[in-house]
């Protein structure tokens, strides 16, 4: 029987699905020892710090991750940073295969004048802020304005707009960061525009997300029926299934009677952003539209127009992704998830993507190397092992229970390590 040692860098969905694929492909002749390395003291990547907290169902995939983690051939090395604690060359030397699953964490920029003004921020900062990510908790998000503009027509733009437009008391039973709930409760924002640069037939939202919107209890969601009528014409007689579902969902929203709620989320199509203006902070965004230039006065602009991967020493990057062929990088180095294919697809997309790369990886394996225990290199580091993480998770869940929340997330690295008893 051959046992191969595999290192996975990044404890997000792609990393766990890679570990699951390795576990699923074990047999009497082939087994794996899996070490997962994560920069943060907490695993689960976007499931913890990306998924909108008012969509807790999406987070139930973490049960799969915990099953993978406790299957017996898996070790977590949280709070370990690639580069400073261990290098790619060390990992490549020690392991039979090294898998990069570090995602895409940097927000793409619009490249228009005024984008650097205070009050203009990226979803890549705002989303981890409301999700209690240790690196973003300190941000001051200017919510002292009546109007916010969200740029982009994907699910992240929709999450961001919804989080700004819903009644913050709806966040009480969620795991939104406490400081963010407090800030949302003080927020003056009552109108949120979500601005797509093309017509509704091109929107990247998924219909399941659109269908959720009319269920918002304290927010009017507005779509102009004429925009959808012209999108239906542009989509033609045989639109793709996803386009048709989206347009059907948008028709339903456009036909809903407005209520007297003071909070509004309004979709604008064919609005191409050209300038953000203001003296000391954002005061307006200007768009070109089929009717000419339009300026929307606002005090907050959040761009949600996609992500690119943060580069890692010793790894070739191009166009915001790791240079790869079907997941193979070079030698015993592989990549999967958003770092491989770019920031597209829902969490489940990573399952099939990881399975395909793992099949290739297995076909490349020959004889197992003599593996060095990673603990020897990291002897002086505080490591968040699976046991430490379970302590952190149990403490967070216990703190949330009396308040009817799934958990109260600890925010700083120190707090997290303290909860884990290290
Ligand atoms: P996305 O789906 O690729 O959407 C990006 C949006 O930004 C597109 O509408 C794009 O418009 C627009 N855009 C790009 N450059 C722009 C520019 N310069 N000016 C104006 N608009 C611009 O990306 P995402 O929203 O970041 O989502 C990433 C992935 O995560 C997606 O697959 C998404 O479905 C998934 N996700 C899923 C959920 C969920 O299931 N609940 C939640 C969040 C994210 P064009 O089409 O015109 O380029």
């Amino acid at each position: 029987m051959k046992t191969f040692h595999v290192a996975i860098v990044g404890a997000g969905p792609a990393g766990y699905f890679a570990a699951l694929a390795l576990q699923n492909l074990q047999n009497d002749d082939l087994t794996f020892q899996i070490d997962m390395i994560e920069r943060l003291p907490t695993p689960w990547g976007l499931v913890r710090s990306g998924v909108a907290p008012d969509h807790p169902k999406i987070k139930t995939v973490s049960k799969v991750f915990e099953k993978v983690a406790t299957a017996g051939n898996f070790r977590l090395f949280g709070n370990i940073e690639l580069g400073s604690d261990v290098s790619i060359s060390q990992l490549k030397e020690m392991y039979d295969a090294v898998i990069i699953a570090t995602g895409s964490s940097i927000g793409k920029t619009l490249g228009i004048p005024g984008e650097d003004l205070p009050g203009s921020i990226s979803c890549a900062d705002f989303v981890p802020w409301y999700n209690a990510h240790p690196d973003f908790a300190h941000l001051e998000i200017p919510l002292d304005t009546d109007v916010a503009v969200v740029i982009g027509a994907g699910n992240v733009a929709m999450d961001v707009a919804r989080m700004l437009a819903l009644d913050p008391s709806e966040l009480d039973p969620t795991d939104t960061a406490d400081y963010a709930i407090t800030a949302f409760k003080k927020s003056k924002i009552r109108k949120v525009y979500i601005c797509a640069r093309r017509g509704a037939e091109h929107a990247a939202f998924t219909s399941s997300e659109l269908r959720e919107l009319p269920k918002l209890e304290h927010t009017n969601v507005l779509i102009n029926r004429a925009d959808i009528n012209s999108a239906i014409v542009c989509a033609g007689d045989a639109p793709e299934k996803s386009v048709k579902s989206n347009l059907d969902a948008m028709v339903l929203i456009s036909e809903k009677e407005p209520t007297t709620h003071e909070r509004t989320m309004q979709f604008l199509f064919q609005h191409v952003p050209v300038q953000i203006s203001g003296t000391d902070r954002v005061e307006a965004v200007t768009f070109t539209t089929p009717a000419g230039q339009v300026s929307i006065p606002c005090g907050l602009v959040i761009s949600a127009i996609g992500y690119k991967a943060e580069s890692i020493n010793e790894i070739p990057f191009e166009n915001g992704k790791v240079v790869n062929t079907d997941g193979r990088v070079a030698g015993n180095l592989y990549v999967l998830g958003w770092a491989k294919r770019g920031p597209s697809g829902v969490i489940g997309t990573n399952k099939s993507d990881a399975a395909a790369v793992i099949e290739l990886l297995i076909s490349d394996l020959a004889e197992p190397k003599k593996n060095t225990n990673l603990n020897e290199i990291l002897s002086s580091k505080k490591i968040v092992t699976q046991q430490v993480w379970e302590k952190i998770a149990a403490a967070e869940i216990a703190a949330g229970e009396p308040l009817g929340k799934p958990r109260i997330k600890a925010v700083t690295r120190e707090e997290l390590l303290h909860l884990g008893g290290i």
Side-chain angles (χ1 to χ4, degrees), residues 41-79:
T42 54
W44 301 357
L46 284 183
V47 170
R48 181 171 167 106
S49 56
V51 170
D54 63 331
H55 280 175
K57 255 201 218 156
I58 299 179
K59 298 186 190 219
T60 54
V61 68
S62 59
K63 292 203 174 88
V64 177
F65 304 163
E66 290 302 88
K67 209 168 159 206
V68 166
T70 50
N73 63 343
F74 177 100
R75 297 190 301 177
L76 177 66
F77 289 84
N79 198 35

Side-chain angles (χ1 to χ4, degrees), residues 105-108 121-129 136 302-303 307:
S105 57
I106 301 176
K108 283 190 184 153
I121 61 174
S122 166
C123 60
D125 292 345
F126 182 60
V127 171
W129 170 77
F136 297 88
I302 302 187
S303 56
Y307 294 83

Side-chain angles (χ1 to χ4, degrees), residues 388 391-392 416-422:
V388 172
K391 270 195 198 168
I392 297 172
L416 285 158
L417 297 180
H418 175 73
L419 288 183
I422 58 172

Side-chain angles (χ1 to χ4, degrees), residues 26-47:
Q26 292 187 116
N27 57 41
D28 292 346
D29 300 324
L30 176 69
T31 60
F32 297 102
Q33 287 296 328
I34 304 162
D35 286 348
M36 183 176 271
I37 297 155
E38 165 60 46
R39 187 172 74 85
L40 290 177
T42 54
W44 301 357
L46 284 183
V47 170

Side-chain angles (χ1 to χ4, degrees), residues 46 50-52 55 58 108-112 123 151-159 162 195-199 202-206 208-209 271-273 287 303-307 338 341-347 349:
L46 284 183
V51 170
H55 280 175
I58 299 179
K108 283 190 184 153
T109 50
L110 291 160
I112 60 174
C123 60
I151 296 175
N155 283 336
V156 173
M158 181 146 27
D159 282 348
R162 205 180 56 249
C195 303
R197 65 176 167 179
R198 297 193 283 161
H202 297 290
F205 311 123
T206 48
S208 51
E209 298 298 303
H271 275 57
V272 181
F287 297 89
S303 56
I305 57 167
Y307 294 83
W338 280 10
R341 60 174 202 279
S344 67
V346 295
I347 288 170
T349 313

Side-chain angles (χ1 to χ4, degrees), residues 44-375:
W44 301 357
L46 284 183
V47 170
R48 181 171 167 106
S49 56
V51 170
D54 63 331
H55 280 175
K57 255 201 218 156
I58 299 179
K59 298 186 190 219
T60 54
V61 68
S62 59
K63 292 203 174 88
V64 177
F65 304 163
E66 290 302 88
K67 209 168 159 206
V68 166
T70 50
N73 63 343
F74 177 100
R75 297 190 301 177
L76 177 66
F77 289 84
N79 198 35
I80 299 302
E81 181 134 28
L82 205 57
S84 52
D85 296 322
V86 62
S87 69
I88 284 287
S89 11
Q90 279 174 311
L91 293 177
K92 281 171 69 182
E93 180 78 26
M94 288 165 61
Y95 289 88
D96 294 299
V98 179
I99 300 171
I100 301 299
T102 44
S104 305
S105 57
I106 301 176
K108 283 190 184 153
T109 50
L110 291 160
I112 60 174
E115 199 173 6
D116 296 332
L117 277 169
S120 160
I121 61 174
S122 166
C123 60
D125 292 345
F126 182 60
V127 171
W129 170 77
Y130 62 62
N131 275 319
H133 186 301
D135 295 350
F136 297 88
H138 65 282
L139 296 181
E140 294 285 337
I141 309 290
L143 302 171
D144 57 339
T145 171
D146 300 342
V147 179
V149 168
V150 179
I151 296 175
N155 283 336
V156 173
M158 181 146 27
D159 282 348
V160 163
R162 205 180 56 249
M163 287 295 288
L164 288 169
L166 51 66
D167 187 312
S169 62
E170 293 179 48
L171 297 175
D172 285 335
T174 72
D175 64 0
T176 310
D178 271 351
Y179 59 77
I181 296 184
T182 306
F184 284 131
K185 284 186 174 167
K186 287 191 199 146
S187 167
K188 293 205 169 72
I189 295 172
R190 293 296 177 268
K191 179 114 199 186
V192 180
Y193 290 102
I194 175 164
C195 303
R197 65 176 167 179
R198 297 193 283 161
E201 72 279 18
H202 297 290
F205 311 123
T206 48
S207 56
S208 51
E209 298 298 303
L210 285 164
R211 284 196 299 269
E212 288 289 312
L213 291 176
K215 297 180 195 159
L216 285 177
E217 281 182 32
H218 307 282
T219 309
N220 270 318
V221 182
L222 304 180
I223 293 185
N224 183 346
R225 180 65 207 248
D227 287 345
I228 309 307
N229 288 346
S230 53
I232 291 170
V233 172
C234 291
D237 291 338
E240 273 181 38
K241 201 173 155 221
S242 58
V243 173
K244 173 149 187 354
S245 310
N246 266 6
L247 293 174
D248 287 348
M250 290 193 231
V251 165
L252 287 182
I253 296 171
S254 71
E255 285 175 345
K256 201 165 181 253
E257 283 295 313
T259 64
T260 53
H261 296 320
E262 55 165 6
R263 295 167 195 273
T264 304
M265 174 174 168
Q266 181 168 357
F267 289 74
L268 299 174
F269 294 98
Q270 302 196 70
H271 275 57
V272 181
V274 288
Q275 180 166 15
I276 299 174
S277 47
T279 313
D280 300 320
R281 62 176 281 181
V282 169
E283 290 168 24
V285 191
T286 304
F287 297 89
T288 54
T289 75
Q293 285 218 335
V294 172
S295 271
I296 300 182
C298 63
L300 175 66
V301 183
I302 302 187
S303 56
I305 57 167
Y307 294 83
K308 54 189 181 177
E310 191 171 350
S311 58
I312 300 172
N313 241 342
E314 303 183 65
I315 297 200
F317 278 84
E318 208 172 66
N319 300 325
K321 295 185 270 189
V322 174
V323 179
N324 74 91
T325 308
D326 300 328
R328 287 186 174 114
V329 181
N332 61 348
L333 189 62
Y334 300 82
V335 62
L336 37 73
W338 280 10
K340 169 193 166 223
R341 60 174 202 279
S344 67
V346 295
I347 288 170
T349 313
N350 293 299
K351 192 172 178 186
S352 48
D353 180 61
V357 176
I358 294 303
E359 281 199 20
L360 284 186
L361 180 156
I362 290 177
S363 72
D364 292 344
L365 292 172
E367 287 305 309
K369 288 182 187 175
K370 196 179 162 329
N371 170 264
T372 323
N373 192 344
L374 183 56
N375 281 308

